[in-house]
Structure formats: C-alpha cells, structure tokens
Amino acid sequence: MDRQAVYEDYERTRRTFHQLLDSASTADLARPTRGTKWTNGQLLWHMLFGYIVVRALLVLVRVFGRLPRGVGKAFARLLNAGTVPFDWVNYAGPLGAVKVFGPRRMAVAFDRVLDSLQRRLAAESDADLARGMHYPVRWDPFFKDFMTLADIYRYPTQHFDFHHRQLTLDSDDGRGGKPEVS
C-alpha cells in the first residue's frame, strides 16, 4: 500500500471539502443535487460520513480479519439481507444531520476525522493492512466482496470523489457541471 498516496488523497479531499463549504451560500446548500434526493448540504454531510464510517469499518476488519473467513462471509450475508433498512438510514441520516451540523461544524468534523485516520494509518503494520474481511456488496458500490484494511483506508476517497460529481454548487439552475477543485 502506498501510504503517501492515501495521505495525499486525504489532503486533496480536505482542501476540496473546505473550498466547497467556504464558497457555498445558504441557497447553494439548499439546492438539489444531481442524481440523488439530497440537497447539496445533505450530500456534503454524506460525503463527510463516508470518512466517519471508516473508523467503524476499521474495527470490523480488526475483529473479523482474525476469525475464520466463513464467519465474516456469514456476517456480510446478514448485512446484505438488511440492505433496505440500511438504505433508509443512509438516506435519512443526512436529512437530520445538516440541521445539527452547519458548514462550520462539518468542516471541523472533516478535519478531525481525517487527522484521526492519518494517525491510525501511520500506526498500522503491513500485516494489519493486509488483513481483511467480507463486506456487504449491496450496501455501497465501492464495497468489494473481500476488502483489506488497506482497501478500507482508500474507500472514503472513492466515495467522496463519486459524490463530488453529483454536487450542483456551481450552477444557478441545479444542473451544472462539477466544480473544478483540486
């Protein structure tokens, strides 16, 4: 795993997230996104949550990565069976979260979670990064059947970049292209 590349991706998304929040008006944040039922503000929260959830995923890999693969596979099947309630919670979470977390609090939370992930990644051994488990592939298009800890550290940036393209923060009518931020 190229840790430096992961750090650089985290820093790129940090800059992008701050730029998006700093340049967005209240009206921009309330505008619908492209391809989701969320507003820009709600989708930004969901993008942040993609990094927050990684902390829980890291714990799961540490536990299930030490168990026989059949246990993890059964757990993934159980989670896949719960896709409908997961989808509902995944959708509803940002609806309420943006009422509690405004842009400033989202920016602070983003920085904290990235700092935490960077510290954790620096402390991981190569053996830990190679450990993995089965995942519920129906929950997220970036989940693979089997993912290593290294894959989990890369996951939130894939999730972020995908949703970044759905934001309409640079468009007066809500249908414009993605902002060019690097």
Side-chain angles (χ1 to χ4, degrees), residues 7-17 157 161 182:
Y7 296 140
E8 289 170 8
D9 280 342
Y10 285 0
E11 289 306 316
R12 174 184 55 81
T13 60
R14 183 193 311 260
R15 286 188 308 273
T16 300
F17 196 75
T157 300
D161 290 342
S182 46

Side-chain angles (χ1 to χ4, degrees), residues 14-122:
R14 183 193 311 260
R15 286 188 308 273
T16 300
F17 196 75
H18 280 275
Q19 184 174 357
L20 291 167
L21 290 174
D22 291 346
S23 64
S25 68
T26 302
D28 291 333
L29 294 173
R31 185 180 303 127
T33 56
R34 187 173 24 280
T36 81
K37 295 180 181 179
W38 287 316
T39 65
N40 284 316
Q42 293 161 347
L43 184 55
L44 284 164
W45 165 259
H46 179 75
M47 292 161 68
L48 161 61
F49 190 70
Y51 285 91
I52 292 171
V53 76
V54 165
R55 294 187 295 191
L57 297 177
L58 294 174
V59 172
L60 287 176
V61 172
R62 282 177 178 68
V63 172
F64 284 94
R66 288 177 166 76
L67 298 173
R69 286 217 176 166
V71 174
K73 205 169 205 164
F75 183 65
R77 280 194 309 268
L78 178 68
L79 293 177
N80 267 328
T83 298
V84 171
F86 168 80
D87 286 345
W88 187 87
V89 170
N90 189 42
Y91 167 72
L95 302 180
V98 295
K99 295 177 182 180
V100 176
F101 281 78
R104 222 165 77 151
R105 289 184 70 192
M106 279 197 285
V108 169
F110 199 86
D111 288 343
R112 284 185 181 151
V113 73
L114 279 187
D115 292 344
S116 170
L117 290 174
Q118 288 173 329
R119 282 190 306 273
R120 288 179 184 201
L121 177 56

Side-chain angles (χ1 to χ4, degrees), residues 109-141:
F110 199 86
D111 288 343
R112 284 185 181 151
V113 73
L114 279 187
D115 292 344
S116 170
L117 290 174
Q118 288 173 329
R119 282 190 306 273
R120 288 179 184 201
L121 177 56
E124 300 287 1
S125 71
D126 289 341
D128 286 337
L129 290 170
R131 184 170 286 123
M133 67 174 274
H134 290 276
Y135 274 84
V137 294
R138 292 177 55 199
W139 281 30
D140 191 283

